[in-house]
Structures are given as structure tokens and as C-alpha cells.
């Protein structure tokens, strides 16, 4: 059984500020996103003719409280999971798409998160729409549908908590970037 979740959020910040914040969210807020323990850029490719940037990063996360049944299967209370994040930024069309998949523990749990940042249809120069879809599948328990459903539900609850933290971090970074840009504009106007 695969469980899918979708969320949408509107940032009241322009697309360029929100996407800048997205690149910085793991490094600027380590205390809030404490489940993220390590991030490394594996590849980066810029295509100036197409106006696209493609990156691949490894992201290591720690899950301190696994559902009971997974703790029994794995034999641990917490687990470190390695993920691969693929990002495509299309500057011309103002689109940023991110796909994250776990690469470790796939024999137990498969998680795929797809996110997209795009200009708001009504206020394209001022606001940004964030869309996120996550699918979760507990593999060894698929024969035991009721147990698998509970495990998937617990994982989904944890995902939703972390997602809310991520949106909070993004809002804080956007506000910081806005203040930074405002300060730079004020300084330039005064001639400093």
C-alpha cells in the first residue's frame, strides 16, 4: 500500500527570495531542522543556453523515534537515513522542482517527496506557491495491511511535523533576506 500526501503553501515573498531560502534552509537553521544531520552537493550542472541549474545533493537525516513495529524490525530505537535530493531550477520560467528519495532502508520503507516552487498565479511578482507531494510505502508489512497502514501513518505524522518546521524556517530566511535587501537599498540611496 502506498500512502500519498499533498500540501500547498503560499509564501508572501517573491520567487527569487523563496528559492534562495530553499538553498539555505539546511545551513541557516540547524537547530530547528535538527533531524537533518548532513548535506553535501554531489553534482551541479549549469546550462546557460536553457537557463537551468541541475543539482544533486546527499541529505542525511536522523529519525529519533521510529514507530514501534519498525523499531522491532530494525532492532533500533532511532535510525540514520541517507537520501538523494535532485533539484532543477528553470530561471527563465521561474520554476524550481525538487525530488527527494531515501536510498537507505529502502527494503523497509520507501519515501519520495516532490516539491515545486512557482510564482503565484494572481501575484506572480510578489508571492510564491509551494506544492509538495509525498508518498510513503512500508514494504515488508504490505502483507499485513493494518500494521503497514499504522506504520505509514506514523511516518506521515512525522513528515508533516518536519514539513511544518521547514516552512517556518523558509519564512524566517525569507524575512532575513528581505531585511538584508532593504538595508542594502537604503545604504545605496544614502550613498554609503
Amino acid at each position: 500500500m502506498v500512502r500519498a500526501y499533498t500540501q500547498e503553501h503560499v509564501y508572501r515573498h517573491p520567487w527569487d527570495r523563496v528559492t534562495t531560502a530553499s538553498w539555505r534552509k539546511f545551513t541557516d537553521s540547524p537547530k530547528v531542522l535538527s533531524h537533518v544531520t548532513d548535506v553535501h552537493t554531489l553534482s551541479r550542472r549549469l546550462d546557460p543556453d536553457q537557463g537551468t541549474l541541475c543539482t544533486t545533493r546527499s541529505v542525511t537525516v536522523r529519525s529519533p523515534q521510529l514507530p514501534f513495529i519498525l523499531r522491532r524490525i530494525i532492532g533500533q530505537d532511532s535510525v540514520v537515513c541517507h537520501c538523494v535530493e535532485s533539484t532543477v531550477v528553470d530561471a527563465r520560467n521561474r520554476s524550481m522542482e525538487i525530488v527527494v528519495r531515501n536510498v537507505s532502508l529502502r527494503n523497509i520503507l520507501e519515501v519520495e517527496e516532490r516539491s515545486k516552487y512557482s510564482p503565484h498565479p494572481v501575484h506572480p511578482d510578489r508571492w510564491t506557491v509551494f506544492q509538495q507531494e509525498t508518498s510513503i510505502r512500508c514494504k515488508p508489512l504490505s502483507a499485513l495491511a493494518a500494521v503497514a497502514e499504522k506504520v505509514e501513518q506514523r511516518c506521515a505524522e512525522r513528515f508533516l511535523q518536519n514539513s511544518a518546521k521547514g516552512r517556518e524556517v523558509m519564512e524566517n530566511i525569507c524575512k532575513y533576506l528581505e531585511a538584508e535587501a532593504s538595508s542594502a537599498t537604503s545604504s545605496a540611496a544614502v550613498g554609503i
Side-chain angles (χ1 to χ4, degrees), residues 24 27 42 46 58 63 101 108 127 138 144 150 175 190:
R24 295 173 59 165
T27 56
L42 303 175
L46 177 64
S58 69
S63 180
R101 292 182 182 98
I108 297 170
W127 295 355
C138 187
L144 305 168
K150 287 180 183 178
K175 289 175 185 172
V190 175

Side-chain angles (χ1 to χ4, degrees), residues 143-156:
L144 305 168
V147 175
E149 187 172 331
K150 287 180 183 178
V151 169
E152 290 167 356
Q153 180 63 37
R154 177 70 174 107
C155 291

Side-chain angles (χ1 to χ4, degrees), residues 50-151:
Q50 296 296 316
T52 59
L53 170 66
C54 300
T55 65
T56 302
R57 300 194 298 182
S58 69
V59 180
T60 303
V61 296
R62 180 183 49 81
S63 180
Q65 296 179 337
L66 294 174
F68 173 76
I69 193 72
L70 283 183
R71 287 192 305 242
R72 298 290 295 188
I73 292 170
I74 297 172
Q76 304 177 90
D77 287 339
S78 67
V79 69
V80 173
C81 182
H82 303 285
C83 305
V84 172
E85 174 192 85
S86 302
T87 304
V88 177
V89 179
D90 183 341
R92 289 186 184 150
N93 295 309
R94 295 175 28 172
S95 170
M96 180 179 194
E97 296 186 23
I98 305 167
V99 177
V100 181
R101 292 182 182 98
N102 64 309
V103 292
S104 62
L105 305 173
R106 287 187 66 80
N107 58 332
I108 297 170
L109 191 68
E110 289 181 351
V111 180
E112 180 180 278
E113 176 184 306
R114 293 181 170 275
S115 304
K116 183 176 182 178
Y117 297 95
S118 55
H120 189 275
V122 178
H123 304 288
D125 294 330
R126 296 188 297 155
W127 295 355
T128 304
V129 176
F130 170 67
Q131 297 169 311
Q132 184 176 48
E133 182 179 310
T134 303
S135 62
I136 301 169
R137 179 174 177 233
C138 187
K139 291 177 78 171
L141 304 175
S142 45
L144 305 168
V147 175
E149 187 172 331
K150 287 180 183 178
V151 169

